[in-house]
Amino acid sequence: MSAVPAAPATTVPPPATGAWREGDPPGRRRWHRRSRPLELEDGGVLPGVRLAYETWGRLAPDRSNAVLVLHALTGDSHVAGAADPGHPTAGWWDALVGPGRALDTDRWFVVAPNVLGGCQGSTGPASQGPDGRPWGGSFPRLTQRDQVRAETGLADALGIERWALVIGGSMGGMRALEWAVGEPSRVAALLLLACPAAASADQIAWATAQVHAIRADPLWRGGDYHDAGAGRGPHTGLGIARRIAHITYRSAGELQARFGHFPQDGEQPQLGGPYRVESYLDHQAAKLVRRFDAASYVALAEAMNTHDIGRGRGGIRTALGRVTARTLVAGVDSDRLYPLAQQEELATGIPSADGVRIIRSPYGHDGFLLETEQVAALVRELLDGAPDPPARRTG
């Protein structure tokens, strides 16, 4: 059994934030700037909103071939493509997007925004506020509905009145569901992966523990750390949050099969050395602090906690009844964070859903990201029956 790297092979301290900042290479990003302030669900207002997004393929003349892909908590707009100076990681669903793949870019125009409150080019705590400084701790609280309202502005700017498909898993699935309930006429087909109708007490508890870990870091400074020097951000708290989260993302069986009760190679746990599973979690934490922002993590985790599709809509069953899109609901059989019972509630309540599709995976919640062949089959099931868009303009 091979050892797990304890951390990225570098002694250079991470910057205070792993967020994309002005002046960094843009990569494939484009930006949508909202022309007016965004009114928030809690009554506040967020001025100067912009969303970073990426696209693949070409939009049909009648704009009928657009697919919206929504990322999970620590994802971003870079669904497909290699890592490069503008994108710290390779595309997180690269196997799904491209010519001949499930989201065939010879047929479909794929759009992926970085969520409002995120840290890879969209307005969030690390971006510039009205006073010219990073928003930091003064960034307003968001809900999933605020985030979708910002995304409707992007759709309007692209001239997309109706998405051929909206797809998302985990946090992305929450937003996909908000699209289908809040804007039913704009969603033709819907794929919900490993997500709930409302955040459960268990999910809120896990997220709250992660948020407390970040805020307890002495370098948190109330969220106002973005201009501190390298190594002076709340990396310890963010790393602990990532460790907690990653345990919930994987199944107990997978962790046991991969790591068991074995020490990291050359280490003696009885003398303070790490077990292999400890080194694995350390590695995940060390990677995240270099590509993510602690305050964005807090903002997005708290937004996920607000998720309740029935809030102000007469309850969950009534809200789900508003969905008119052709819908597939899928869950991962080993998911201990978003268990299948939550997807069963969605499938029961959405009129066009025909039961829960099961993604078979040993990986737990992360199965929706890792089992790309099974996800691709679901995408094709929804899209293969869709009419072909008119021929695209050339030249």
Side-chain angles (χ1 to χ4, degrees):
M1 187 177 293
S2 60
V4 177
T10 178
T11 58
V12 178
T17 174
W20 185 92
R21 312 286 299 268
E22 295 291 344
D24 289 345
R28 288 181 48 92
R29 292 175 185 82
R30 301 166 65 186
W31 280 272
H32 161 63
R33 296 179 183 273
R34 188 178 176 88
S35 61
R36 61 187 185 280
L38 179 68
E39 295 183 5
L40 303 178
E41 188 181 0
D42 70 358
V45 174
L46 183 60
V49 169
R50 74 173 187 176
L51 292 184
Y53 68 99
E54 297 177 49
T55 67
W56 297 261
R58 296 181 64 185
L59 190 59
D62 68 351
R63 303 178 187 273
S64 65
N65 68 331
V67 173
L68 180 64
V69 179
L70 301 174
H71 67 77
L73 173 59
T74 60
D76 54 31
S77 64
H78 198 52
V79 175
D84 60 35
H87 302 287
T89 56
W92 50 271
W93 251 355
D94 189 70
L96 260 64
V97 179
R101 295 176 178 173
L103 292 174
D104 186 347
T105 49
D106 289 334
R107 182 182 181 190
W108 302 105
F109 177 65
V110 179
V111 181
N114 180 217
V115 68
L116 180 68
C119 63
Q120 289 297 320
S122 292
T123 297
S127 59
Q128 190 177 89
D131 63 356
R133 298 174 58 81
W135 275 97
S138 64
F139 191 73
R141 284 179 174 260
L142 301 176
T143 69
Q144 304 283 308
R145 296 181 194 180
D146 297 327
Q147 294 165 335
V148 169
R149 192 171 299 115
E151 291 164 1
T152 62
L154 170 61
D156 292 343
L158 294 173
I160 298 168
E161 295 183 0
R162 183 173 170 88
W163 297 103
L165 171 66
V166 177
I167 176 175
S170 193
M171 185 185 82
M174 297 176 189
R175 300 198 332 274
L177 183 60
E178 278 290 345
W179 262 99
V181 171
E183 300 285 345
S185 66
R186 302 190 73 164
V187 182
L190 176 68
L191 179 52
L192 301 174
L193 300 167
C195 66
S200 70
D202 186 62
Q203 290 146 8
I204 293 169
W206 282 115
T208 300
Q210 295 165 49
V211 168
H212 277 289
I214 292 171
R215 287 181 167 151
D217 191 314
L219 298 181
W220 168 247
R221 302 185 188 91
D224 297 322
Y225 57 84
H226 292 91
D227 291 331
R232 297 294 298 165
H235 304 127
T236 298
L238 179 57
I240 293 171
R242 180 61 165 180
R243 289 172 177 87
I244 295 170
H246 205 76
I247 295 167
T248 71
Y249 297 160
R250 298 298 180 121
S251 71
E254 190 228 355
L255 294 178
Q256 180 64 24
R258 287 181 67 182
F259 307 113
H261 193 249
F262 296 98
Q264 178 76 337
D265 285 359
E267 297 288 351
Q268 299 183 58
Q270 66 271 27
L271 299 179
Y275 290 96
R276 285 181 180 170
V277 70
E278 289 182 81
S279 293
Y280 170 69
L281 296 175
D282 291 346
H283 182 65
Q284 297 299 325
K287 288 194 301 180
L288 187 73
V289 299
R290 291 183 178 275
R291 69 170 183 84
F292 213 76
D293 178 59
S296 274
Y297 197 105
V298 168
L300 299 183
E302 291 186 332
M304 291 171 69
N305 284 350
T306 73
H307 175 61
D308 178 356
I309 203 67
R311 184 176 63 251
R313 293 169 172 155
I316 288 173
R317 290 301 296 270
T318 300
L320 294 179
R322 296 170 61 170
V323 176
T324 59
R326 292 177 293 110
T327 302
L328 289 180
V329 179
V332 182
D333 60 357
S334 56
D335 191 342
R336 57 181 173 180
L337 180 59
Y338 294 93
L340 286 172
Q342 292 188 312
Q343 287 86 64
E344 290 167 357
E345 180 181 29
L346 293 173
T348 299
I350 295 174
S352 62
D354 59 352
V356 177
R357 306 302 174 88
I358 307 298
I359 297 172
R360 308 290 178 184
S361 176
Y363 299 117
H365 184 61
D366 274 354
F368 85 90
L369 292 170
L370 300 173
E371 304 292 354
T372 52
E373 290 186 8
Q374 295 181 61
V375 174
L378 298 172
V379 172
R380 289 191 173 99
E381 183 177 345
L382 278 170
L383 290 180
D384 282 355
D388 284 324
R392 293 173 297 187
R393 295 189 182 96
T394 59

mmCIF file of all heavy atoms in Angstrom, residues 19 106 236 303:
data_model
loop_
_atom_site.group_PDB
_atom_site.id
_atom_site.type_symbol
_atom_site.label_atom_id
_atom_site.label_comp_id
_atom_site.label_asym_id
_atom_site.label_seq_id
_atom_site.Cartn_x
_atom_site.Cartn_y
_atom_site.Cartn_z
ATOM 1 N N ALA A 19 -7.821 33.158 -3.541
ATOM 2 C CA ALA A 19 -8.775 33.702 -4.497
ATOM 3 C C ALA A 19 -8.067 34.228 -5.740
ATOM 4 O O ALA A 19 -6.908 34.662 -5.692
ATOM 5 C CB ALA A 19 -9.577 34.839 -3.854
ATOM 6 N N ASP A 106 -20.073 20.134 -29.934
ATOM 7 C CA ASP A 106 -20.458 20.312 -31.334
ATOM 8 C C ASP A 106 -21.963 20.532 -31.458
ATOM 9 O O ASP A 106 -22.448 20.944 -32.511
ATOM 10 C CB ASP A 106 -20.064 19.083 -32.164
ATOM 11 C CG ASP A 106 -18.556 18.975 -32.356
ATOM 12 O OD1 ASP A 106 -17.879 20.014 -32.312
ATOM 13 O OD2 ASP A 106 -18.068 17.837 -32.534
ATOM 14 N N THR A 236 -4.907 27.783 8.815
ATOM 15 C CA THR A 236 -5.133 26.679 9.757
ATOM 16 C C THR A 236 -6.622 26.372 9.864
ATOM 17 O O THR A 236 -7.045 25.215 9.770
ATOM 18 C CB THR A 236 -4.554 27.023 11.138
ATOM 19 O OG1 THR A 236 -3.134 27.205 11.017
ATOM 20 C CG2 THR A 236 -4.832 25.902 12.130
ATOM 21 N N ALA A 303 -24.635 30.098 3.024
ATOM 22 C CA ALA A 303 -25.703 30.129 2.021
ATOM 23 C C ALA A 303 -26.318 28.744 1.845
ATOM 24 O O ALA A 303 -27.543 28.599 1.718
ATOM 25 C CB ALA A 303 -25.166 30.647 0.692
#
